[in-house]
Amino acid sequence: MQVFTSVMVLGLCFAAFIISDIKGYKERKTDSMISLANVIGLNSISAIDFLDNDAAKAILGDLRKISPDVVHATILDNKGNIFATYSKNGTGTYPFPRVQANKKFEFVRNHLLVYNTIINDNEITGTVCLRVELTELNAIKKQKYQIAYILLIVGLGVAFLIALAIQPYISKRLLSLVSIMNQVSKTGDYSKHVVVEGKDEITALSLVFNNLMDQIQESHKKKDEFIGIASHELKTPLTSIKAYLQVLDSIENNQPNKQYIEKALENVNKLQQLLLDLLDVSKIQSGQLQLNINEFNIDTLIDETIASSQIVSPNHQIVREGKPVNQVISADKQRIEQVLINLLSNATKYSPGAKKVILYTAKTVSAIIVGVKDFGIGIPKKEQSKVFERFYRTKELSKHHISGFGLGLYICRDIIERHKGKIWIESDGKGSVFYFSLPLQSSVAAAPSA
Ligand code: ADP
């Protein structure tokens, strides 16, 4: 763009320069030819008076030596009749247009035509007409155009080289801005900022971007605070409602009342789970999710969790595969149980038509690996990393109408990463396997069971 603008400006300058040069040349040529016609007129006065054509022709003939640019010349008498003519190449008389009063010259097809009246004793006795070829003008034009072309090409080259030298600096800053924007859109991490340097449009853009990130962060913070406070305030009344419903459930034996109470309890439980998730998210956001580390046998925890999950998911058979890992680990038992429950409940929830869910365990030299496999709707490749983001739910769900809030996996990832472990997915579209690993570093081997 810069190169194009420079060339345009350069081109316009050259055009203005050439036009003014040509105009100057024409003015000078016209003045000198009018003076020449005037001199010829003065010299021809006596020839016209004595009707001496030969003398007039001789005067015109001198033009060959005095001004070779004049290709045709004619002296007209006071009635406009030809009195004497001249042709440089002997090509005959040139038919000058009818001379008009006040018109002293005109340009006709690369030639200058000059008309100058001959005045004797305040009386017009004739007119001198000259036809001058502008070969010099053409040569000047050609030369100027050549210079302009050469300078334009040189200018273009220089502008291009300068642009080439500046470009990496501009592109580097722009590309770094684009890369940070991409990272923000992929990770949703609004704490990212660009380095502000220089004093140009990119600097202004960087400042606006950083301000925008600050504003988004601020509004997220307020939203998180609100979610935290609201969840906390809702927890106590909900616990009370649940307690009363449980009392009602234990004393009511008549249908359909009992069924209504059970339905209400079921929904209160869902609401309570959502509030617990929201409180966990709020703790994660404010960095207050604490781990309560203790030692426990991972096999026992897994078996107990399978048993409790089986009760709430009677339509699926949850089976354990792989050798027991036979390991006591140091971790937050409640939080690891929360992860297991979440993965098992997702596995059954997102495989409505399937009958089985498999839980694998394995042990490597440095970690315990747990995998939960289902035969459900699966997760497309491009969404696999996104399901660990807050509130993310896969597009596929619009077809299946399975309820959820997209918080469970976000919390699971945080819990596992706080234990210095990893969580990941393998899914080929016909089901999914969610894995997590826990490092063995601070774990201790369990005493072999008798
Ligand atoms: P929720 O299940 O409440 O929506 P999660 O954080 O547990 O929230 O899961 C996030 C999303 O990941 C789900 O909405 C779903 O789209 C997808 N997902 C999780 N587990 C599975 C699974 N086993 N099979 C298919 N999709 C899953």
Side-chain angles (χ1 to χ4, degrees), residues 82-142:
I82 294 173
F83 181 69
T85 62
Y86 161 81
S87 164
K88 185 180 164 188
N89 302 322
T91 50
T93 308
Y94 176 76
F96 282 95
R98 259 183 86 81
V99 179
Q100 293 166 23
N102 298 331
K103 192 169 190 182
K104 290 205 140 213
F105 68 91
E106 65 183 317
F107 288 93
V108 178
R109 271 180 261 117
N110 274 338
H111 285 80
L112 166 66
L113 303 185
V114 173
Y115 315 103
N116 193 62
T117 46
I118 305 167
I119 296 170
N120 187 16
D121 289 337
N122 290 332
E123 255 185 56
I124 296 174
T125 55
T127 309
V128 176
C129 305
L130 301 180
R131 182 167 179 257
V132 186
E133 69 180 354
L134 299 172
T135 41
E136 204 183 329
L137 175 68
N138 292 337
I140 288 175
K141 270 190 196 166
K142 204 173 154 195

Side-chain angles (χ1 to χ4, degrees), residues 21 23-33 140:
D21 220 39
K23 201 169 161 245
Y25 169 82
K26 280 182 171 175
E27 278 170 5
R28 285 193 305 277
K29 194 75 183 170
T30 308
D31 287 347
S32 78
M33 285 303 127
I140 288 175

Side-chain angles (χ1 to χ4, degrees), residues 56-349:
K57 269 187 195 163
I59 292 167
L60 292 179
D62 287 344
L63 285 171
R64 195 165 277 111
K65 278 186 258 151
I66 307 165
S67 183
D69 288 352
V70 179
V71 283
H72 289 101
T74 299
I75 297 174
L76 304 172
D77 63 18
N78 56 359
K79 291 192 184 84
N81 298 322
I82 294 173
F83 181 69
T85 62
Y86 161 81
S87 164
K88 185 180 164 188
N89 302 322
T91 50
T93 308
Y94 176 76
F96 282 95
R98 259 183 86 81
V99 179
Q100 293 166 23
N102 298 331
K103 192 169 190 182
K104 290 205 140 213
F105 68 91
E106 65 183 317
F107 288 93
V108 178
R109 271 180 261 117
N110 274 338
H111 285 80
L112 166 66
L113 303 185
V114 173
Y115 315 103
N116 193 62
T117 46
I118 305 167
I119 296 170
N120 187 16
D121 289 337
N122 290 332
E123 255 185 56
I124 296 174
T125 55
T127 309
V128 176
C129 305
L130 301 180
R131 182 167 179 257
V132 186
E133 69 180 354
L134 299 172
T135 41
E136 204 183 329
L137 175 68
N138 292 337
I140 288 175
K141 270 190 196 166
K142 204 173 154 195
Q143 187 197 17
K144 300 278 170 193
Y145 285 146
Q146 272 173 353
I147 292 174
Y149 283 141
I150 292 167
L151 287 179
L152 257 179
I153 288 166
V154 172
L156 185 70
V158 171
F160 185 72
L161 286 176
I162 291 173
L164 217 62
I166 298 173
Q167 193 66 15
Y169 173 66
I170 296 174
S171 338
K172 197 180 121 208
R173 290 165 66 210
L174 270 177
L175 287 176
S176 106
L177 192 62
V178 170
S179 140
I180 291 198
M181 283 174 172
N182 272 334
Q183 283 175 35
V184 170
S185 86
K186 270 191 199 140
T187 61
D189 178 2
Y190 299 107
S191 64
K192 293 229 174 318
H193 280 67
V194 283
V195 182
V196 179
E197 54 180 328
K199 253 188 176 183
D200 53 15
E201 290 82 355
I202 300 175
T203 317
L205 193 64
S206 307
L207 282 171
V208 171
F209 174 79
N210 286 352
N211 275 342
L212 203 65
M213 290 301 103
D214 289 343
Q215 282 174 19
I216 294 175
Q217 263 185 298
E218 188 57 33
S219 74
H220 274 217
K221 204 172 140 205
K222 282 189 183 143
K223 187 190 73 191
D224 291 339
E225 278 169 10
F226 170 76
I227 291 175
I229 294 166
S231 324
H232 200 263
E233 291 304 313
L234 286 170
K235 207 173 133 191
T236 317
L238 197 68
T239 312
S240 163
I241 294 170
K242 187 175 171 179
Y244 282 115
L245 281 173
Q246 280 169 334
V247 172
L248 282 176
D249 190 34
S250 65
I251 55 175
E252 180 62 71
N253 289 318
N254 298 330
Q255 290 297 355
N257 295 5
K258 191 165 177 71
Q259 194 192 345
Y260 296 155
I261 295 166
E262 277 168 3
K263 203 81 203 145
L265 252 176
E266 196 183 301
N267 281 301
V268 164
N269 282 337
K270 276 191 191 166
L271 205 55
Q272 205 177 27
Q273 186 53 52
L274 171 64
L275 283 186
L276 289 175
D277 280 354
L278 284 172
L279 278 170
D280 277 349
V281 169
S282 166
K283 280 184 198 156
I284 292 171
Q285 291 297 303
S286 57
Q288 282 169 359
L289 190 109
Q290 305 283 341
L291 294 183
N292 188 8
I293 302 290
N294 37 47
E295 287 184 354
F296 59 93
N297 188 307
I298 185 75
D299 287 315
T300 315
L301 178 71
I302 287 171
D303 291 338
E304 284 171 3
T305 315
I306 289 178
S308 62
S309 297
Q310 187 64 81
I311 297 168
V312 286
S313 308
N315 296 333
H316 290 76
Q317 191 198 357
I318 307 174
V319 285
R320 184 169 172 187
E321 286 186 7
K323 275 195 209 157
V325 286
N326 196 25
Q327 184 75 38
V328 167
I329 61 165
S330 283
D332 186 324
K333 189 178 174 189
Q334 249 188 322
R335 291 292 181 188
I336 298 299
E337 184 185 10
Q338 186 180 350
V339 173
L340 285 166
I341 292 175
N342 215 308
L343 296 184
L344 287 171
S345 111
N346 276 355
T348 54
K349 189 162 78 165

